[in-house]
Amino acid sequence: MAEDLGRTFEQAFKNIDDVLWKEAGCTTELDYTEQASWLLFLKYLDDLEREKATEAALDGKSYFFILEEPYRWDAWAAPKTADGTLDHNEAMTGEDLIEFVERRLFPYLHGFKQRASGPNTIEYKIGEIFGEIKNKVRSGYNLREVIDHIDELRFSSQLEKHELSHLYEAKIKNMGNAGRNGGEYYTPRPLIRAMVEVVNPRLNERIYDGACGSAGFLCEAFVYLQARNPERTTAQDRTLQEQTFYGKEKKSLAYVIAIMNMILHGIETPNIVHTNTLAENLADVQDRDRFDVILANPPFGGKERKEVQQNFPIRTGETAFLFLQHFIKTLKAGGRAGVVIKNTFLSNTDNASVSLRKRLLESCNLHSVLDCPGGTFQGAGVKTVVLFFEKGAPTRTVWYYQLDPGRNLGKTNPLNDADLAEFVALQKTFADSPKSWSLDAAGIDQSTFDLSVKNPNGGEAVAHLSPQAIMDEIAALDAESAEVLANIRALLS
């Protein structure tokens, strides 16, 4: 049953991509995912509303639909005949369909933002999504084809949502591999699962990602909590749905994808806010704003404006360092975090890096550092580490693990769960091994607070090239490329 369903849904997704491939406005996996997302959302909303209307009818109650009749899926997208097939006389197509979507549907849906009672309502999410996203399908005939394929998908059962969530995750992964800024939205799921296991979220804890991208951390934490607590009460389920997962995301496309991803994983009204997290002043953070668990892979390499930097005690343009300050501040006393950051954070000698390492070591127990190999993140030319820390007591000992899967990681050979199994097992007791060791915080240089990965067991030393050495290497590669091109030209002439 699951296999048949998976194949049916997979074929529908493939058909959607095939149609979008013909569209001039849709050129990459990012565009395909964006356009599929808003239609998936409306189909999901229709299935959800019908389910609730049926439940209300069985209880002898009335159900008030969120959307007015002309804007419901079965009115404009997929009107049906008595036998359940598409009513071709009523179904819009061509220019009529494009005009309805752009001049009536999108403005109506965007208006929900003003009409909603608050940001955590599904009405507000509808308004936010359709104020940010644009229909890029210019041909009404292509849009009709895509709608027909979306209409084949069902969200009624947990099995259906489960299959759809897997396919949607695959689309997000492809989007990350497609380059451009797609990689910002995708953290390898095996790494996320290992981080969730180490941080070990529990029922009734509030879990937060302030740079949530496609919400991979929140979705995996939800799966983890469900699996470890099979005997949940109705009240616990409601808390899990409504008061457990919180995210913020700056970019419009990622915001839409995060909401759709969480919905497909079974969280009906995700607490995702579309905002620039770093624009919030840290001095304004109150106890009620803090979280028990933080899991995140904030963007690095970006630069924030001077007025944004004013919100932080340690001023720097590097977005990842600002996010790390935000996470330390928004963690409750006793709260736990797992945060991905560039490995150069451990050794940079600039004032901001040194001050931030000092703050981290003094205000938190940085108990574990996972050193990730190159190629962990597809398309990213930087090495990363994962910092695991608990707030409220200074660091006494840092346990390091140098991940070495024994092969070069790449698009066709990505990180898998088995690669991280030893790390997860050893981390529980901070055990020493050829790949792991402990550093006494008392031995850390108090002028630099250098936390570099230096395996005392003879592991590979991590060398940080100077800017000049990097430029020399780039120049050498350019010269090599020019020589190869010259040889090819000679062969062709």
Side-chain angles (χ1 to χ4, degrees), residues 192 195-210 217-218 220-222 224-225 243-247 289-296 326-328 330-339 388-391:
I192 291 180
M195 289 170 64
V196 170
E197 193 150 338
V198 168
V199 174
N200 186 26
R202 296 184 279 270
L203 285 179
N204 299 318
E205 290 188 320
R206 287 174 10 116
I207 302 164
Y208 172 63
D209 181 352
F217 283 99
L218 300 177
E220 289 294 345
F222 179 60
Y224 177 89
L225 285 169
Q243 295 167 3
T244 297
F245 303 100
Y246 298 85
D289 306 317
R290 293 193 167 98
F291 299 90
D292 302 284
V293 170
I294 291 175
L295 290 156
H326 172 81
F327 294 143
I328 293 169
T330 52
L331 204 56
K332 281 183 180 178
R336 294 135 16 242
V339 178
F388 295 94
F389 53 92
E390 188 170 323
K391 186 172 173 181

Side-chain angles (χ1 to χ4, degrees), residues 283-414:
D284 297 334
V285 173
Q286 306 294 312
D287 255 2
R288 66 173 181 272
D289 306 317
R290 293 193 167 98
F291 299 90
D292 302 284
V293 170
I294 291 175
L295 290 156
N297 175 16
F300 34 76
K303 294 292 174 193
E304 280 293 347
R305 303 182 309 278
K306 284 281 191 289
E307 61 266 30
V308 169
Q309 294 179 38
Q310 305 296 325
N311 295 325
F312 296 86
I314 300 170
R315 290 175 190 174
T316 167
E318 168 59 67
T319 51
F321 294 0
L322 298 176
F323 268 110
L324 190 53
Q325 291 181 70
H326 172 81
F327 294 143
I328 293 169
K329 181 74 172 183
T330 52
L331 204 56
K332 281 183 180 178
R336 294 135 16 242
V339 178
V340 180
I341 201 161
K342 274 194 300 189
N343 73 339
T344 50
F345 164 70
L346 300 177
S347 59
N348 280 352
T349 55
D350 60 284
N351 290 340
S353 298
V354 173
S355 299
L356 188 48
R357 287 197 297 272
K358 181 176 189 285
R359 173 158 301 191
L360 177 64
L361 291 169
E362 289 177 351
S363 64
C364 300
N365 174 22
L366 175 66
H367 57 80
S368 304
V369 173
L370 170 62
D371 180 44
C372 299
T376 298
F377 291 83
Q378 304 302 318
V382 295
K383 281 196 67 179
T384 55
V385 292
V386 184
L387 309 176
F388 295 94
F389 53 92
E390 188 170 323
K391 186 172 173 181
T395 303
R396 299 285 179 229
T397 306
V398 185
W399 181 79
Y400 289 82
Y401 182 90
Q402 198 162 39
L403 182 60
D404 177 12
R407 65 185 192 284
N408 290 329
L409 299 176
K411 190 189 285 190
T412 57
N413 199 4

Side-chain angles (χ1 to χ4, degrees), residues 23 26 37 58 66 76 101 108 143 185-186 237-238 241 256 259 263 277 298 313 316 327 334 388 405 453 479:
E23 272 291 327
C26 299
S37 293
L58 290 171
I66 295 170
W76 71 270
V101 165
Y108 167 76
L143 184 55
Y185 313 143
Y186 190 76
D237 260 341
R238 192 178 301 113
Q241 278 283 338
V256 175
I259 286 180
I263 282 170
T277 306
T316 167
F327 294 143
F388 295 94
V453 177

Side-chain angles (χ1 to χ4, degrees), residues 39 68 85 144 223 227-228 239 264 274 286 303 316 344 401 419 440 475:
L39 286 161
E68 293 169 24
T85 57
R144 164 50 53 202
V223 170
R228 272 152 186 76
T239 300
L264 288 174
H274 184 213
Q286 306 294 312
K303 294 292 174 193
T316 167
T344 50
Y401 182 90
D419 294 329
D440 187 343

Side-chain angles (χ1 to χ4, degrees), residues 107-164:
Y108 167 76
L109 296 172
H110 180 38
F112 273 90
K113 188 172 176 180
Q114 280 68 48
R115 299 193 292 272
S117 58
N120 288 335
T121 60
I122 192 143
E123 288 86 352
Y124 188 91
K125 299 285 185 286
I126 293 167
E128 187 82 3
I129 287 170
F130 288 93
E132 294 299 334
I133 210 160
K134 299 286 180 283
N135 170 44
K136 291 183 179 174
V137 185
R138 306 276 31 103
S139 161
Y141 299 100
N142 285 344
L143 184 55
R144 164 50 53 202
E145 270 195 76
V146 173
I147 287 169
D148 291 348
H149 291 310
I150 294 274
D151 194 51
E152 296 167 21
L153 305 173
R154 295 284 175 275
F155 297 84
S156 337
S157 72
Q158 278 308 114
L159 179 60
E160 286 165 333
K161 284 182 187 169
H162 181 70
E163 289 300 323
L164 279 167

